[in-house]
Amino acid sequence: MSPTSPSNPTSVGSPLQHGYNPSSYQDGATPSFTTGTTGADAADATQANHAEGAQPTHPTFLDTNSQGLHNAMPSGAVTPNTVDVPYHIPKHSESRKLKHFYASRAEPIYDQTEKLANQVAELQRQQNKLFGPSGADFEPGIHRLRFFKNANPGPFGLFSFAFTTFLLSLINLAAGHVTNSRIIVAPAMFYGGLAQILVSMWEMASGNTFGGAVFGSYGCFWLSYGAIFIPWFHIANSYTDLDEFNYAVGLFLICWFLFTMLITLCTIRSTLAFFCLFATLDVTFLLLAAGYFKTSGGAPDTPLIRVGGGFGLACAAFAFYNALAGIATVENSFFSVPRAVFPWSLEGLSPSEANRRRMFADDESEKMA
């Protein structure tokens, strides 16, 4: 016999044949759907459910493999494996208790994100109060707590910049009566140029936009400056007039003076040594450019070049100072590099706001005392 053909059509209850109609039942009785029940069984179950003190039977998942359900299905109907009948969860059921348990303890993802953001903001505020700006990071902002295992690339870039600047400034000062500046080509190409390009990439990867832009720019400066004096680039050899060549070098230096001036404006809220590094470098570019503009007999003006060399030595000294501040720690030295900040460097605020907060902090400390 086919499982979809009713064996006893007369035993099929009317609710399953004609649909559910509450008016067709006496005294408001409703059918109960259970696994493997026929029409007569459903009527008995209904009376049992309405008995005094009896728990109502809730609809359940109906298994079509049960013979009772096969008898209840009309002929030719397609019977799925299971029939999902919606039902009401009892008030004291275990599933409702578990749902209430997890719902009272689970937090939406945006609440967790907001809580984490508040914790990071508080950590940043405490960090601002404790550390303040530091030129060792080669960043005009506050000293950043680095949440990754990579080292700080700033001291490497500062040392490479300081070394090449110091050497070129000694040549501009004619130290030891050395007037030929070709010795600067090798360190300018590799230590001053290639090294700072690499540091720039590492600074960008660490999130330091200022360090990446500045180190990359000055790395390109040293590479281009060294290329001027390399013969197979045919830059210096292409000029037949020395005065024209010197004036072109002056234009090259004045462009870097303008760039450095813009960078110096971004350091006025940092430490004193970090600001002086770029301020002296800016003056160095200006004096050297003026010396190449003012030529005499095909040679740049010697006094201006030597004064520029003096400012270059000061710039190199500040670069060495900031680099030392980045690598001299309590783990490897018996001292720490002093750090002087501007009065308005507190938390990167304006001078008036920084002074107002200091006075407010002093008043609070006096009240506590």
Side-chain angles (χ1 to χ4, degrees):
M1 180 183 298
S2 174
T4 59
S5 300
S7 59
N8 188 10
T10 58
S11 64
V12 178
S14 59
L16 294 178
Q17 290 179 350
H18 305 290
Y20 170 61
N21 186 4
S23 62
S24 62
Y25 299 96
Q26 297 179 356
D27 300 331
T30 56
S32 176
F33 298 92
T34 57
T35 303
T37 59
T38 61
D41 296 333
D44 296 338
T46 303
Q47 294 177 1
N49 289 339
H50 285 77
E52 183 178 356
Q55 293 292 335
T57 303
H58 298 277
T60 59
F61 292 96
L62 302 181
D63 188 1
T64 58
N65 295 324
S66 174
Q67 184 65 26
L69 181 61
H70 290 316
N71 296 336
M73 295 300 293
S75 176
V78 179
T79 58
N81 292 332
T82 58
V83 179
D84 190 1
V85 180
Y87 63 94
H88 176 68
I89 302 176
K91 183 177 181 180
H92 302 290
S93 65
E94 190 66 25
S95 59
R96 173 169 287 192
K97 292 179 181 179
L98 290 176
K99 181 180 179 181
H100 176 73
F101 174 80
Y102 289 112
S104 61
R105 286 159 175 78
E107 291 181 313
I109 187 63
Y110 53 85
D111 289 345
Q112 299 178 18
T113 305
E114 183 179 1
K115 183 183 296 184
L116 180 61
N118 293 335
Q119 294 176 356
V120 172
E122 178 63 22
L123 178 62
Q124 191 75 17
R125 189 182 68 85
Q126 296 295 334
Q127 176 185 337
N128 294 353
K129 294 176 62 177
L130 292 176
F131 297 98
S134 175
D137 296 328
F138 205 79
E139 190 172 5
I142 62 167
H143 174 72
R144 292 187 299 117
L145 295 178
R146 298 177 179 265
F147 298 99
F148 47 85
K149 297 181 180 180
N150 297 335
N152 179 17
F156 178 36
L158 285 168
F159 274 125
S160 63
F161 178 82
F163 178 87
T164 49
T165 304
F166 188 78
L167 179 60
L168 180 60
S169 298
L170 289 177
I171 295 175
N172 290 332
L173 287 172
H177 305 286
V178 176
T179 57
N180 191 340
S181 60
R182 299 299 187 276
I183 191 63
I184 196 61
V185 174
M189 296 296 294
F190 295 100
Y191 195 34
L194 179 61
Q196 290 191 73
I197 293 294
L198 295 176
V199 172
S200 172
M201 299 298 102
W202 294 328
E203 290 285 6
M204 288 291 188
S206 67
N208 185 5
T209 305
F210 179 88
V214 174
F215 276 129
S217 299
Y218 287 122
C220 293
F221 162 76
W222 285 112
L223 289 174
S224 57
Y225 184 80
I228 294 175
F229 300 98
I230 295 178
W232 48 271
F233 274 100
H234 300 289
I235 297 177
N237 297 336
S238 62
Y239 290 90
T240 56
D241 187 0
L242 291 179
D243 291 337
E244 182 183 4
F245 171 73
N246 291 331
Y247 198 87
V249 174
L251 293 176
F252 172 78
L253 295 174
I254 205 66
C255 292
W256 285 103
F257 159 76
L258 296 175
F259 170 78
T260 307
M261 181 177 62
L262 296 178
I263 297 301
T264 306
L265 296 177
C266 297
T267 62
I268 57 178
R269 286 188 173 183
S270 184
T271 62
L272 183 62
F274 198 61
F275 170 79
C276 291
L277 164 63
F278 291 97
T280 53
L281 179 61
D282 203 26
V283 176
T284 301
F285 278 127
L286 180 62
L287 292 173
L288 293 179
Y292 277 95
F293 285 147
K294 185 180 179 182
T295 60
S296 59
D301 186 73
T302 302
L304 287 175
I305 296 297
R306 290 189 176 182
V307 175
F311 275 93
L313 288 180
C315 174
F318 284 117
F320 278 125
Y321 185 89
N322 285 280
L324 183 62
I327 62 173
T329 62
V330 294
E331 290 82 7
N332 57 27
S333 62
F334 295 100
F335 64 93
S336 59
V337 178
R339 178 173 54 89
V341 298
F342 292 107
W344 54 84
S345 296
L346 176 63
E347 300 184 24
L349 303 174
S350 61
S352 58
E353 181 66 16
N355 292 331
R356 187 189 70 80
R357 292 198 180 188
R358 282 196 178 90
M359 290 187 293
F360 180 76
D362 294 340
D363 294 341
E364 290 295 327
S365 60
E366 290 177 1
K367 292 179 181 179
M368 293 294 294

